Amino acid sequence: MEDTVYELYYWPHIQGRGEFIRLALEDAGAPYDDVARDPARGVAAIRALLDASPDARDYDGPAPFAPPVLKHGRVALSQVANILGYLGPRLGLMPGDDAGRHRAMLVQLTFADLVSEVHDTHHPTSTQFRYEDQMDAARERAQAFVRLRLPKFLGWIERTLRDVGGPAQMLATGHSTCDLSLFQLVEGLRYAFPKAMAHFEPSHPRVVEVRDRVAERPRIAAYLASPRRLAFNENGIFRRYAALDLVP
Amino acid sequence: MEDTVYELYYWPHIQGRGEFIRLALEDAGAPYDDVARDPARGVAAIRALLDASPDARDYDGPAPFAPPVLKHGRVALSQVANILGYLGPRLGLMPGDDAGRHRAMLVQLTFADLVSEVHDTHHPTSTQFRYEDQMDAARERAQAFVRLRLPKFLGWIERTLRDVGGPAQMLATGHSTCDLSLFQLVEGLRYAFPKAMAHFEPSHPRVVEVRDRVAERPRIAAYLASPRRLAFNENGIFRRYAALDLVP
């Protein structure tokens, strides 16, 4: 089972939520199959996995609700934090003991909430309608986000890094998926909210320190320079819209 | 450690997200301390736990971002799904093996997304402003919710129950926290969106079957009849606002 290849099922044209999984697999140097990026399989492979009837499935347990999905043998898991909770101990990127894993999940799920709140800045009323059709509500939500929510999340992250002591990392047990996810959060926030991040970064030095440390890890640096790393764009979670790039 | 009492830190006047934790503890007959419901400690106890400096803390690891928090010895965890992932195997309400736990988390985290989407129907732009100050956006979001999102979630749940086969339960391994959480979702949705639920329930019989089965479990029935069960109200996640009670 541990030799079984990891298969990632995620939209092939965006970083999106799948990027948090890619970063963990890349940092560990784990071979993985980014299924839908293969044009011969594409997004049809995602639909086939989600929609298969029970007797046509090659995995056990509930069908995942939505991508990203990690498939590993007969295991098929959705939800970023859940996937990282499964991969983390296997890749040496999360403590293996019960309390340690759940503390890491506390961090990953708080990050997941931040990601959802970022998403809702451009889609406050419905994911089914375009940003252009909900711009007024988007501006209201983005304003509340950069003024109230973003500093609350960044403050909590900075404080958690400070509390650990020593080199900046989210868990006292060492480098983890949480640091890799924090790197992605900073990159995404810089892309989507450059003015707000320019405002907040000087007062959150440890957050920036983690971002820089992760960027310099050899496998991550190689990944970021490779064609496997997609560019941010206006179909992902982090989108750059001039109307939402507000000063806190 | 396993004899250490479970302490729940959650707002004392609402069911809210804490109710998913209460239902698991009640169903298992596990003694627990609902800390902030004790007037002598109240919400100040929540703030003290979240804000304590590292040397003043009686737990290890990151300070939780927000309630609900479960404290158990030196463990302090936030995020409903994470708490249920910790409690579940200990209370006999979740498989103890790695794959089984992550499959249960797939369900709990999908439910958590549904809960967040319910919350955002009355607070689409900011949790810091009142519902009354974002009613137009709320109505748009609620309309998209009852037309597009609620049937998608209910359809996935019904299909998952059907796929398991046999008596309606979310996991093939048996009764679990997932069924208890589904009970709470149905109760909350009936309260907040009675018209939409009257519309959808007939075509989702297994969802209703789980709700009824859970309501009849002796410890749950006793809990629901006790003063420990708070009433739904307009400060929680599930709120009844006439303007949002839309027909799909």
Side-chain angles (χ1 to χ4, degrees), chain A residues 1-13:
Chain A
M1 178 71 171
E2 298 308 316
D3 291 336
T4 310
V5 72
Y6 296 111
E7 293 174 81
L8 175 65
Y9 288 75
Y10 194 64
W11 312 122
H13 303 303

Side-chain angles (χ1 to χ4, degrees), chain A residues 5 12 15 27 33 35 69 83 113 124 130 134-135 146 169 178 185-186 244:
Chain A
V5 72
Q15 292 186 13
D27 189 57
D33 182 4
V35 175
V69 172
I83 293 170
D113 283 350
R130 298 177 318 145
Q134 48 193 309
M135 280 185 68
V146 299
Q169 54 190 19
C178 302
L185 288 175
V186 173
L244 306 186

Side-chain angles (χ1 to χ4, degrees), chain B residues 23-243:
Chain B
L23 285 167
L25 292 161
E26 293 281 350
D27 189 58
Y32 68 101
D33 182 3
D34 205 339
V35 175
R37 303 266 300 263
D38 168 11
R41 293 176 291 173
V43 296
I46 303 177
R47 283 260 59 94
L49 181 139
L50 299 181
D51 296 343
S53 61
D55 49 345
R57 281 181 206 155
D58 59 354
Y59 60 89
D60 302 317
F65 182 74
V69 172
L70 181 83
K71 214 176 147 299
H72 188 223
R74 302 286 302 176
V75 173
L77 301 176
S78 58
Q79 296 280 345
V80 169
N82 189 35
I83 293 169
L84 292 175
Y86 180 85
L87 283 176
R90 286 171 170 77
L91 302 180
L93 288 170
M94 202 180 276
D97 68 294
D98 192 45
R101 276 189 304 106
H102 284 94
R103 289 182 183 119
M105 289 296 280
L106 178 169
V107 174
Q108 293 289 168
L109 286 166
T110 304
F111 287 173
D113 283 350
L114 172 53
V115 167
S116 287
E117 295 198 23
V118 168
H119 172 272
D120 283 4
T121 59
H122 49 77
H123 279 80
T125 57
S126 172
T127 52
Q128 312 289 326
F129 310 135
R130 299 177 317 145
Y131 159 68
E132 289 74 12
D133 296 328
Q134 48 193 305
M135 281 184 69
D136 289 347
R139 205 174 150 86
E140 269 186 67
R141 177 123 189 176
Q143 190 157 80
F145 177 74
V146 300
R147 285 196 186 157
L148 303 165
R149 299 297 290 172
L150 182 55
K152 184 167 176 173
F153 278 106
L154 289 174
W156 176 79
I157 298 168
E158 183 74 15
R159 180 178 162 230
T160 301
L161 293 167
R162 188 194 64 209
D163 290 352
V164 167
Q169 53 190 20
M170 289 300 290
L171 302 179
T173 42
H175 174 71
S176 71
T177 58
C178 301
D179 301 323
L180 298 167
S181 294
L182 178 52
F183 163 84
Q184 178 66 9
L185 287 175
V186 173
E187 291 294 286
L189 289 165
R190 283 180 177 178
Y191 179 78
F193 303 103
K195 288 181 189 157
M197 286 304 279
H199 175 82
F200 288 123
E201 284 192 30
S203 52
H204 297 77
R206 291 176 185 84
V207 171
V208 178
E209 190 185 332
V210 173
R211 183 257 158 229
D212 292 347
R213 175 174 69 73
V214 168
E216 286 166 14
R217 290 176 65 85
R219 288 194 189 114
I220 294 295
Y223 169 64
L224 296 175
S226 79
R228 298 194 301 287
R229 171 78 166 184
L230 298 163
F232 284 108
N233 61 48
E234 280 54 59
N235 293 308
I237 298 285
F238 297 100
R239 304 187 186 188
R240 179 170 289 180
Y241 292 128

Side-chain angles (χ1 to χ4, degrees), chain A residues 88-106:
Chain A
R90 286 171 170 77
L91 302 180
L93 288 170
M94 201 180 274
D97 68 293
D98 192 46
R101 275 189 305 106
H102 283 94
R103 288 181 183 119
M105 289 295 281
L106 177 168

